[in-house]
Amino acid sequence: MSEIAVAVARLAEAGVESPRTDAELMAAHRHGVKRSELNLVPDADFDPRFWDDIARRASREPLQHITGTAFFRYLELEVGPGVFVPRPETEVMTGWAIDRLNEMDVADPVVADLGTGSGAIALAIAQEVPRARVHAVEGDPLARPWTERNIASCAESAPHTRGRVWLHGGDFDSALAELNGSVDLVISNPPYIPVDAAVPPEVGEYEPTAALYSGSDGLDAMRVIERAARRLLRPGGRVAVEHGAVQGTAVYWIFAEENGWKETRNHSDLAGLDRFVTAIWP
Ligand SMILES: C[S@@+](CC[C@H](N)C(=O)[O-])C[C@H]1O[C@@H](n2cnc3c(N)ncnc32)[C@H](O)[C@@H]1O
C-alpha cells in the first residue's frame, strides 16, 4: 500500500468526511508541491512529519489548522485557533455581492462586512471590486490578529487593496455608526447555529464559539444584523446574509416587506441548499 493509501485508510477509520482529499492536500502541503504533483514524491522520500499531520487530522483537528491556510475565491488566507475557517458556501454569497457592486452606478462603493473573521468576504470584495472601500467589523479580539495579517498579506499580493480595507473592533449592534445611512452594501455570515445543535468535532472543538452559536433558533445575531443593515444602508443599498440550510424561510421573514425591505430573495449554494438572503433598503 502506498503512503497516501495508508493515510486515507487511517483518516476514513477516524470518521473524516473526505479522507482522500485531506490526505493528498496534507501531503502536498508537507512536501511543498501541488496536489497534482504528488506522483513526483516517491514513497521512500515521504517526510515523517506527514504522519504527525495525519495523526492531528485523525483526532479531527480541521485540515486548515494543520496546513495553516484556507482558500477562499482567489485568496489564500492564514487561519488557525481563534478564527473561523471560511467555507466554500460563503464564496457564492460573496460572488453575488461582487456582481452587484460591479453593476452599481456608484464611483467607490462602501461595503460593511459584519463579523469578518479571517477577512475572507471583505478581502475577496476588495480584491475583485477594485474601487470598493470595505469596512470589516469583528467583535472577537482573538480573531482580529488573523484579520490584520490577512489584510497585510493581501495588500502585498493585490496592491490595489492597500488602504481600502479597514478593520473595526466592535459589536454588530453599534458598529460603524459614523457610516449610518451611507453604506452601499452590507454583507454578513453571522453565527447561526442553535445553541443545542450537534456539530462535528472539527467545528465544536476547534472553531471559536462566538463564530458559531446564536440563541435557541440560531437567529439572534441575524435579528441584530437586520437592524444594523437598516441603520447603515443608504436608500437603495443592498444586504446579503448567510444562514443555515433550514433557516431560509425564517430569515426571509426577518428581511420581509413588513420590516421595510423590498425585493427580498432566497438563494441557494452550490449544493442546491438554501444558503443566503438578499434584500434592498428602499
Ligand atoms: C461565522 S463567522 C464568519 C467569519 C467570516 N465572515 C467568514 O465568512 O468566514 C462569524 C464572525 O462574526 C463574529 N461575531 C459574532 N458575533 C459578533 C458580534 N455581535 N459583533 C461582532 N462580531 C461578531 C465572530 O467572532 C466571527 O468571527
Side-chain angles (χ1 to χ4, degrees), residues 22-163:
D22 288 21
E24 290 183 356
L25 289 174
M26 283 189 285
H29 171 76
R30 180 52 76 191
H31 297 97
V33 296
K34 290 187 193 148
R35 188 176 170 188
S36 58
E37 295 167 345
L38 272 176
N39 59 321
L40 305 175
V41 185
D43 277 357
D45 291 350
F46 255 57
D47 186 325
R49 289 173 299 173
F50 171 67
W51 294 104
D52 300 335
D53 299 340
I54 291 295
R56 288 172 68 183
R57 188 70 190 99
S59 74
R60 306 296 295 272
E61 189 171 340
L63 168 72
Q64 296 84 351
H65 283 203
I66 298 165
T67 60
T69 301
F71 295 93
F72 187 84
R73 292 185 67 89
Y74 304 105
L75 297 166
E76 195 173 331
L77 299 160
E78 252 190 78
V79 292
V83 74
F84 184 80
V85 175
R87 305 292 204 272
E89 48 268 32
T90 309
E91 293 179 315
V92 181
M93 174 177 71
T94 306
W96 177 93
I98 287 166
D99 290 347
R100 298 296 79 74
L101 286 162
N102 279 323
E103 299 165 356
M104 257 180 209
D105 192 14
V106 175
D108 295 300
V110 177
V111 178
D113 171 21
L114 301 181
T116 198
S118 63
I121 297 173
L123 290 170
I125 289 176
Q127 189 189 37
E128 296 181 56
V129 187
R131 297 170 296 107
R133 291 173 287 166
V134 187
H135 295 270
V137 175
E138 177 52 54
D140 185 347
L142 293 180
R144 289 199 293 265
W146 295 99
T147 332
E148 277 162 7
R149 279 198 291 280
N150 285 322
I151 291 173
S153 63
C154 192
E156 293 298 313
S157 59
H160 66 274
T161 66
R162 185 171 294 132

Side-chain angles (χ1 to χ4, degrees), residues 182-213:
S182 67
V183 174
D184 296 289
L185 183 134
V186 170
I187 186 164
S188 182
N189 173 19
Y192 55 68
I193 302 177
V195 280
D196 57 359
V199 293
E202 284 89 344
V203 177
E205 290 172 28
Y206 292 94
E207 297 277 19
T209 308
L212 303 178
Y213 302 105

